[in-house]
Amino acid sequence: MKRGCLSSNQPTFTQNSGHPHIQKSVRFSVIKISPLNSNDFEPFLTKIKVPPTLRNQLLKALSSEASKISALLTTPLMLTLAAFVYRAERDIPAELPQFFEILFQTVFTAHDKSKIAFTRECKSGLDDASLQRFFEAFCFMSMQAGHLRSLKSASFETAYQKTSQFTKHNCKMSDFKHDIVQVACLMQVEGYDTTFIHQSVQEYYAASFIKHCIDEAAQRFYDSVRKRKEYKWIQVLQFLKLIDEYRWAKYYRLPIIKSAKEYLSQCTSWEKTKTLIIKSELKIDFDENKRVVNCRAFYSEDNSNDELSIMSHKILFKVLECLHENYDFIYKLSKTKNINSLHFDSGSTVLSCIDILSEEKHLAIFSEIKSTVNNLSEEILQLEKIVNLEESKINIF
């Protein structure tokens, strides 16, 4: 949002739609606006003259418990795009993939129609479908290079050049940028950066790129992500679970949970079980009387994207429930036993979970491991049904 004064007495406010030139004017200063919340939806839609009937229907659709879209609508642009989608479809999809798929087509057919005698011409020369495929590849290439949401000029050019190498469509970089920023409004120019209007835009269209890849390329992606455990792909994988279910199940999820099940099934003794929690710690909170008031588990290393570590953590939380009546014992143990402890502050102590669990020799962990293995077995059966059903279709021909 820009605030300026074009006359001596009258302040002027303007908002750009992806073009930053006006903010360079010495007559204007840049003001950051707060994110929208659901209370802002109705007055904003009223202000941009969405017809009352359409407005009420849209607000009802966004307030539905099934809708996951409203969480995205934190800027005027995102809410405006949602209004375009609703006007074109008379519905707001409950799931994000359907919303983004409709969004790309809608911004080229509905955008700016409400503005009389004003249209934005595409410069890339690509039809809507071809431009979408190019944009999908661009989103993936930028994420693969580690450029999440915001790209410097050099990063934008690198992603564009790599996209051009791996797509059959071709256009000038300046024309592609114009169409995505000025027409589709899926990215915005902010100073020297070009930024996706929401992180999920980049993530969904990167996932869509994988969906449209041949099997060999998709398998290499799933194998790489599974082995390297890079956090940046987590939401992309969530989208792929919905739009590329067969290959996601076969090449990504099934290998992970089969490996985890095999490992957990071997944890039949305390010595084997200790390897599950070797990196785990308990955070102990004391009150002013030095009594334990809280106890929770966490990991001392950043391995939150390790599936086995996540399962181990869930198991530990169950074990902690069995330790609630032993807070006094835990406190005495931390003070009297010769263990490696760390004080975050005067009211906290961190000590190894193994020091507590091995001392208590709780059977709860074995019970929870068995329950986890059973849950994994059920998930494996469900995923194998998905894979087998798709592969059975070869018999049609």
Side-chain angles (χ1 to χ4, degrees):
M1 179 72 73
K2 269 67 68 178
R3 179 183 185 276
C5 191
L6 299 182
S7 65
S8 58
N9 300 317
Q10 185 65 42
T12 302
F13 293 86
T14 181
Q15 179 192 2
N16 71 52
S17 294
H19 210 292
H21 290 329
I22 196 169
Q23 71 187 38
K24 299 176 182 178
S25 170
V26 295
R27 292 178 176 269
F28 285 85
S29 56
V30 179
I31 302 173
K32 291 186 178 181
I33 60 175
S34 299
L36 297 181
N37 58 51
S38 57
N39 295 327
D40 299 317
F41 291 174
E42 183 173 10
F44 178 80
L45 294 171
T46 301
K47 194 68 175 178
I48 64 173
K49 303 187 184 306
V50 175
T53 301
L54 186 67
R55 181 173 68 243
N56 292 334
Q57 292 172 346
L58 173 57
L59 291 170
K60 183 178 180 179
L62 292 175
S63 64
S64 170
E65 292 184 2
S67 177
K68 300 178 181 178
I69 308 303
S70 57
L72 300 179
L73 310 181
T74 57
T75 67
L77 177 56
M78 285 296 295
L79 184 53
T80 302
L81 293 177
F84 283 140
V85 168
Y86 190 84
R87 184 175 65 180
E89 300 292 323
R90 285 298 187 268
D91 189 26
I92 290 290
E95 297 292 339
L96 296 181
Q98 293 94 319
F99 175 78
F100 284 124
E101 197 63 31
I102 294 170
L103 175 62
F104 199 96
Q105 301 303 317
T106 301
V107 292
F108 285 98
T109 59
H111 191 59
D112 287 324
K113 283 186 178 179
S114 60
K115 301 175 184 178
I116 300 174
F118 182 80
T119 58
R120 294 179 178 180
E121 182 182 355
C122 292
K123 292 185 177 181
S124 65
L126 301 178
D127 58 47
D128 296 354
S130 299
L131 182 59
Q132 180 172 341
R133 293 292 175 265
F134 196 94
F135 182 63
E136 290 169 353
F138 177 85
C139 290
F140 180 84
M141 301 307 175
S142 60
M143 287 197 70
Q144 188 182 50
H147 307 306
L148 305 184
R149 187 167 186 185
S150 189
L151 285 75
K152 300 289 186 183
S153 297
S155 302
F156 190 100
E157 182 176 357
T158 300
Y160 164 81
Q161 290 174 346
K162 194 170 183 181
T163 299
S164 298
Q165 294 175 15
F166 293 97
T167 59
K168 65 180 181 180
H169 312 295
N170 194 18
C171 62
K172 292 182 180 179
M173 186 180 74
S174 59
D175 293 342
F176 165 71
K177 188 173 184 179
H178 170 273
D179 288 359
I180 295 302
V181 173
Q182 296 297 317
V183 182
C185 293
L186 295 176
M187 300 186 76
Q188 291 180 300
V189 176
E190 298 178 347
Y192 294 102
D193 296 350
T194 308
T195 304
F196 292 93
I197 59 172
H198 196 278
Q199 181 66 51
S200 58
V201 170
Q202 184 185 26
E203 293 164 339
Y204 170 74
Y205 290 108
S208 190
F209 172 77
I210 295 299
K211 174 188 175 182
H212 293 112
C213 284
I214 63 171
D215 282 353
E216 184 179 357
Q219 182 177 357
R220 291 184 66 175
F221 167 77
Y222 285 120
D223 289 345
S224 174
V225 172
R226 192 180 71 248
K227 294 172 183 177
R228 298 174 71 175
K229 306 168 186 176
E230 293 179 292
Y231 182 82
K232 66 184 178 183
W233 298 114
I234 287 181
Q235 189 56 50
V236 173
L237 290 166
Q238 289 300 311
F239 283 130
L240 286 167
K241 178 182 178 181
L242 298 173
I243 66 176
D244 193 31
E245 185 181 45
Y246 163 69
R247 297 190 298 188
W248 172 86
K250 182 174 182 177
Y251 300 128
Y252 178 73
R253 185 63 181 171
L254 272 172
I256 285 177
I257 60 177
K258 282 183 175 180
S259 176
K261 178 189 173 183
E262 181 181 0
Y263 185 86
L264 291 173
S265 297
Q266 298 174 3
C267 295
T268 56
S269 68
W270 177 248
E271 287 302 316
K272 292 182 178 180
T273 303
K274 283 198 297 186
T275 59
L276 271 177
I277 53 178
I278 193 70
K279 297 178 181 178
S280 305
E281 293 179 338
L282 290 176
K283 188 171 189 297
I284 314 298
D285 295 323
F286 305 104
D287 62 16
E288 63 275 7
N289 297 320
K290 299 300 180 182
R291 290 184 58 84
V292 178
V293 294
N294 194 21
C295 181
R296 55 191 180 276
F298 68 98
Y299 285 98
S300 56
E301 296 185 13
D302 183 15
N303 53 6
S304 58
N305 198 30
D306 185 306
E307 194 71 21
L308 187 60
S309 295
I310 294 172
M311 294 176 187
S312 302
H313 205 170
K314 291 178 180 178
I315 291 171
L316 283 172
F317 274 115
K318 292 293 183 181
V319 175
L320 288 180
E321 294 176 3
C322 300
L323 295 175
H324 279 197
E325 297 179 357
N326 298 305
Y327 278 169
D328 288 338
F329 168 78
I330 295 171
Y331 176 70
K332 291 177 183 178
L333 179 66
S334 68
K335 295 300 181 184
T336 61
K337 195 173 178 64
N338 184 23
I339 62 175
N340 181 23
S341 61
L342 171 66
H343 294 269
F344 278 92
D345 52 53
S346 59
S348 302
T349 299
V350 173
L351 61 159
S352 168
C353 278
I354 287 185
D355 288 310
I356 294 175
L357 295 176
S358 59
E359 184 80 19
E360 290 290 283
K361 298 202 179 287
H362 256 290
L363 296 178
I365 191 168
F366 296 113
S367 175
E368 189 58 33
I369 288 175
K370 183 178 180 180
S371 176
T372 302
V373 169
N374 289 337
N375 292 337
L376 291 175
S377 298
E378 292 179 9
E379 185 179 356
I380 288 171
L381 286 175
Q382 293 300 317
L383 292 175
E384 286 180 338
K385 285 182 180 179
I386 293 170
V387 172
N388 292 337
L389 177 61
E390 289 300 313
E391 294 183 347
S392 70
K393 292 178 182 178
I394 194 173
N395 297 319
I396 297 174
F397 306 99

